[in-house]
Amino acid sequence: MIVEDNALNIKLFCDLLAVHGQEPEAVTDSRNALEAARNFSPDLVITDIQLPHVSGLDLIRLIRKDEELARIPIMAVTAYSTSEDEERIRAAGAQAYVSKPISVVRFAETVEELLTTSSEAPDEQPDDTTSEFVDGPGPGEAGGEES
């Protein structure tokens, strides 16, 4: 499930997920996200942080407090990119943090890792030590190290 208010980002994220065999469900109004998650039962929630009405941080906290949804992995996608921002996002309950503009490869790898981790341990409560994902330049990308 994707919670995003920007139509271009929704299309990009949905297309990326569909290409990798997922069936994305987009929610454009964060006020409807919790109910949509209960109805859709997603394998993963991808949320923007800077959303109108209910912020992505608040949404992450609400999901973590919901008995039905608490085990769903969450990936935050945001323009916020300081280490303090990452700490706040992870403290709210997101396992992954990807900064905008996104790297398509990193986005796909992060989604795959979260889905694999989630399917391997479905009965474990997620915590902020589950994964260490931070987007940034990778090998072959501007600013990345060459192998």
Side-chain angles (χ1 to χ4, degrees), residues 88-102:
R88 286 184 310 125
I89 291 166
R90 288 186 180 280
Q95 286 89 356
Y97 167 90
V98 179
S99 61
K100 294 177 186 175
I102 67 161

Side-chain angles (χ1 to χ4, degrees), residues 12-138:
L12 173 63
F13 300 160
C14 284
D15 288 351
L16 287 171
L17 292 170
V19 163
H20 288 91
Q22 303 303 316
E23 297 177 21
E25 176 81 16
V27 177
T28 57
D29 187 331
S30 58
R31 294 174 291 192
N32 302 327
L34 208 56
E35 183 179 344
R38 286 186 191 117
N39 293 334
F40 184 62
S41 300
D43 296 323
L44 171 67
V45 172
I46 299 170
T47 184
D48 188 9
I49 293 300
Q50 195 170 5
L51 294 165
H53 313 298
V54 178
S55 76
L57 285 175
D58 288 339
L59 178 59
I60 293 167
R61 290 183 191 109
L62 289 169
I63 290 170
R64 289 293 168 244
K65 289 179 184 176
D66 188 289
E67 201 171 291
E68 245 180 271
L69 306 174
R71 288 178 172 77
I72 297 172
I74 300 173
M75 179 169 87
V77 181
T78 182
Y80 298 132
S81 61
T82 68
S83 60
E84 292 84 17
D85 294 323
E86 180 183 358
E87 289 172 22
R88 286 184 310 125
I89 291 166
R90 288 186 180 280
Q95 286 89 356
Y97 167 90
V98 179
S99 61
K100 294 177 186 175
I102 67 161
S103 156
V104 171
V105 172
R106 292 278 172 123
F107 180 91
E109 288 173 349
T110 302
V111 167
E112 185 64 32
E113 178 67 28
L114 286 172
L115 292 173
T116 301
T117 301
S118 174
S119 67
E120 289 174 356
D123 294 330
E124 292 181 20
Q125 181 70 19
D127 61 22
D128 56 11
T129 61
T130 303
S131 301
E132 291 297 322
F133 297 104
V134 177
D135 197 28

